[in-house]
Amino acid sequence: MKPQTNPGDGSRFTISLDDAQQRITNWQGDQSLIKKQLTQNMPLYNSPVLNINAFTFDLADVSDLISRIGMYNNSTPPPAEPINAVRFYLGKVVTPTMPEPPYSCLVAVGVSGFAPNDNVGGDDIIALPSAHSKPPTLEDSIFDFSYPCPTTCADPGKGIMDL
Protein backbone atom coordinates (compact mmCIF):
# COMPACT_ATOMS: atom_id res chain seq x y z
CA MET A 1 0.00 0.00 0.00
CA LYS A 2 1.43 3.34 -1.01
CA PRO A 3 1.10 6.29 1.37
CA GLN A 4 -1.60 8.83 0.61
CA THR A 5 -0.59 12.35 -0.31
CA ASN A 6 -2.39 15.52 0.61
CA PRO A 7 -1.21 18.07 -1.94
CA GLY A 8 0.38 21.14 -0.47
CA ASP A 9 1.18 20.06 3.08
CA GLY A 10 4.16 17.82 2.43
CA SER A 11 2.82 14.92 4.53
CA ARG A 12 2.95 11.48 2.97
CA PHE A 13 0.30 10.00 5.24
CA THR A 14 -2.51 12.53 5.39
CA ILE A 15 -5.69 12.70 3.38
CA SER A 16 -8.08 15.52 2.59
CA LEU A 17 -11.19 16.29 4.63
CA ASP A 18 -13.39 15.25 1.69
CA ASP A 19 -11.58 11.92 1.40
CA ALA A 20 -11.83 11.31 5.17
CA GLN A 21 -15.55 12.11 5.21
CA GLN A 22 -16.17 9.79 2.25
CA ARG A 23 -14.26 6.93 3.88
CA ILE A 24 -16.20 7.38 7.13
CA THR A 25 -19.49 7.47 5.22
CA ASN A 26 -18.48 4.28 3.38
CA TRP A 27 -17.70 2.51 6.68
CA GLN A 28 -20.96 3.60 8.29
CA GLY A 29 -22.93 2.49 5.24
CA ASP A 30 -21.31 -0.93 5.19
CA GLN A 31 -21.90 -1.46 8.92
CA SER A 32 -25.55 -0.44 8.59
CA LEU A 33 -26.06 -2.85 5.67
CA ILE A 34 -24.45 -5.72 7.57
CA LYS A 35 -26.54 -5.09 10.69
CA LYS A 36 -29.73 -4.78 8.63
CA GLN A 37 -29.01 -8.05 6.80
CA LEU A 38 -28.27 -9.93 10.01
CA THR A 39 -31.36 -8.54 11.72
CA GLN A 40 -33.55 -9.60 8.77
CA ASN A 41 -32.10 -13.11 8.89
CA MET A 42 -32.51 -13.33 12.67
CA PRO A 43 -35.63 -11.29 13.48
CA LEU A 44 -35.99 -12.67 16.99
CA TYR A 45 -32.36 -12.02 17.83
CA ASN A 46 -30.74 -8.66 18.28
CA SER A 47 -27.86 -8.43 15.82
CA PRO A 48 -24.42 -9.02 17.38
CA VAL A 49 -22.83 -6.51 15.02
CA LEU A 50 -21.43 -3.45 16.73
CA ASN A 51 -21.91 -0.20 14.88
CA ILE A 52 -18.75 1.66 15.80
CA ASN A 53 -17.68 4.70 13.87
CA ALA A 54 -14.84 6.23 15.88
CA PHE A 55 -12.39 5.82 18.74
CA THR A 56 -10.77 8.54 20.81
CA PHE A 57 -7.23 8.07 22.11
CA ASP A 58 -6.27 9.40 25.51
CA LEU A 59 -3.08 11.41 24.98
CA ALA A 60 -1.48 9.85 28.09
CA ASP A 61 -1.95 6.36 26.58
CA VAL A 62 -0.48 7.39 23.24
CA SER A 63 2.44 9.17 24.96
CA ASP A 64 3.13 6.10 27.10
CA LEU A 65 3.18 3.84 24.04
CA ILE A 66 5.50 6.21 22.14
CA SER A 67 7.78 6.49 25.20
CA ARG A 68 8.03 2.71 25.52
CA ILE A 69 8.76 2.37 21.80
CA GLY A 70 11.55 4.96 22.16
CA MET A 71 13.08 3.05 25.09
CA TYR A 72 12.86 -0.20 23.09
CA ASN A 73 14.45 1.28 19.97
CA ASN A 74 17.22 3.02 21.96
CA SER A 75 18.05 0.09 24.25
CA THR A 76 21.57 -1.30 24.62
CA PRO A 77 22.22 -3.40 22.68
CA PRO A 78 19.80 -2.04 20.07
CA PRO A 79 17.12 -4.40 18.77
CA ALA A 80 17.84 -6.19 15.49
CA GLU A 81 14.58 -4.72 14.12
CA PRO A 82 13.45 -1.45 15.70
CA ILE A 83 9.75 -0.71 16.04
CA ASN A 84 8.70 1.37 13.05
CA ALA A 85 4.89 1.18 13.19
CA VAL A 86 1.89 0.69 15.45
CA ARG A 87 -0.78 -1.87 14.58
CA PHE A 88 -4.38 -1.44 15.71
CA TYR A 89 -6.68 -4.45 16.12
CA LEU A 90 -10.45 -4.13 16.39
CA GLY A 91 -11.91 -6.28 19.13
CA LYS A 92 -15.14 -6.94 21.01
CA VAL A 93 -15.41 -6.95 24.80
CA VAL A 94 -18.06 -9.22 26.28
CA THR A 95 -18.53 -9.25 30.03
CA PRO A 96 -21.28 -11.49 31.45
CA THR A 97 -21.90 -9.17 34.38
CA MET A 98 -22.08 -6.02 32.28
CA PRO A 99 -25.63 -4.69 31.88
CA GLU A 100 -24.75 -2.94 28.62
CA PRO A 101 -24.39 -4.77 25.31
CA PRO A 102 -20.89 -5.80 24.20
CA TYR A 103 -18.66 -2.93 23.15
CA SER A 104 -15.85 -2.65 20.66
CA CYS A 105 -12.25 -1.99 21.55
CA LEU A 106 -9.12 -0.92 19.76
CA VAL A 107 -5.97 -2.81 20.74
CA ALA A 108 -2.60 -1.27 19.82
CA VAL A 109 0.84 -2.90 19.66
CA GLY A 110 4.24 -1.83 18.37
CA VAL A 111 5.39 -3.42 15.11
CA SER A 112 8.93 -4.03 13.88
CA GLY A 113 9.90 -4.71 10.28
CA PHE A 114 6.87 -2.96 8.79
CA ALA A 115 7.47 -2.20 5.08
CA PRO A 116 4.18 -1.25 3.42
CA ASN A 117 5.72 -0.58 0.01
CA ASP A 118 6.99 -4.18 -0.02
CA ASN A 119 3.72 -5.57 1.42
CA VAL A 120 5.46 -6.71 4.62
CA GLY A 121 3.30 -6.41 7.72
CA GLY A 122 6.07 -6.86 10.28
CA ASP A 123 5.95 -8.50 13.68
CA ASP A 124 3.98 -7.47 16.76
CA ILE A 125 6.19 -6.55 19.71
CA ILE A 126 4.13 -7.16 22.82
CA ALA A 127 6.74 -6.63 25.57
CA LEU A 128 8.25 -3.15 25.88
CA PRO A 129 10.27 -1.38 28.57
CA SER A 130 8.26 0.52 31.14
CA ALA A 131 9.37 3.89 32.48
CA HIS A 132 7.34 3.10 35.61
CA SER A 133 10.15 0.90 36.94
CA LYS A 134 13.80 1.78 37.60
CA PRO A 135 15.65 0.43 35.74
CA PRO A 136 13.02 -0.03 33.02
CA THR A 137 11.83 -3.62 32.82
CA LEU A 138 10.02 -5.37 30.01
CA GLU A 139 6.29 -5.77 30.54
CA ASP A 140 3.24 -6.51 28.43
CA SER A 141 2.57 -3.50 26.23
CA ILE A 142 -0.68 -4.30 24.54
CA PHE A 143 -2.61 -1.07 24.78
CA ASP A 144 -6.40 -0.87 25.00
CA PHE A 145 -7.51 2.36 23.31
CA SER A 146 -11.19 1.71 23.95
CA TYR A 147 -12.97 5.00 23.92
CA PRO A 148 -15.57 4.28 21.25
CA CYS A 149 -18.58 6.32 20.20
CA PRO A 150 -21.20 7.29 21.15
CA THR A 151 -20.18 8.10 24.73
CA THR A 152 -16.95 9.80 23.76
CA CYS A 153 -17.74 11.01 20.24
CA ALA A 154 -17.20 14.59 19.36
CA ASP A 155 -19.91 16.99 20.44
CA PRO A 156 -22.23 18.03 17.62
CA GLY A 157 -20.32 20.36 15.36
CA LYS A 158 -16.92 19.26 16.73
CA GLY A 159 -16.21 16.14 14.62
CA ILE A 160 -15.00 16.10 11.02
CA MET A 161 -18.31 14.69 9.83
CA ASP A 162 -20.07 17.80 11.14
CA LEU A 163 -17.87 20.39 9.43
Side-chain angles (χ1 to χ4, degrees):
M1 173 196 248
K2 298 252 185 221
Q4 297 291 321
T5 302
N6 188 5
D9 77 354
S11 175
R12 298 176 354 176
F13 296 99
T14 60
I15 59 174
S16 70
L17 175 61
D18 289 342
D19 193 4
Q21 289 173 329
Q22 186 59 57
R23 291 179 188 199
I24 293 166
T25 299
N26 294 345
W27 170 263
Q28 291 171 339
D30 285 350
Q31 297 310 299
S32 295
L33 287 174
I34 292 168
K35 187 163 187 161
K36 180 179 177 184
Q37 190 67 28
L38 283 172
T39 303
Q40 286 174 349
N41 291 336
M42 299 179 282
L44 299 178
Y45 181 73
N46 188 12
S47 173
V49 175
L50 298 170
N51 278 333
I52 188 70
N53 300 317
F55 287 89
T56 303
F57 303 162
D58 186 295
L59 189 55
D61 290 344
V62 175
S63 295
D64 190 28
L65 176 59
I66 298 302
S67 174
R68 290 178 189 216
I69 288 172
M71 286 188 289
Y72 177 87
N73 286 347
N74 297 315
S75 62
T76 304
E81 289 262 7
I83 292 175
N84 64 343
V86 175
R87 178 170 291 127
F88 294 94
Y89 290 95
L90 291 171
K92 177 178 166 182
V93 176
V94 179
T95 306
T97 60
M98 195 167 58
E100 303 90 26
Y103 63 92
S104 55
C105 65
L106 192 65
V107 177
V109 293
V111 177
S112 68
F114 177 64
N117 292 335
D118 297 327
N119 202 29
V120 175
D123 297 317
D124 291 353
I125 306 298
I126 61 170
L128 296 174
S130 172
H132 304 294
S133 60
K134 301 289 184 214
T137 56
L138 290 179
E139 64 180 40
D140 286 346
S141 298
I142 303 170
F143 282 73
D144 179 0
F145 290 159
S146 297
Y147 301 100
C149 290
T151 57
T152 57
C153 273
D155 295 330
K158 303 291 185 184
I160 64 174
M161 294 305 288
D162 299 320
L163 296 175

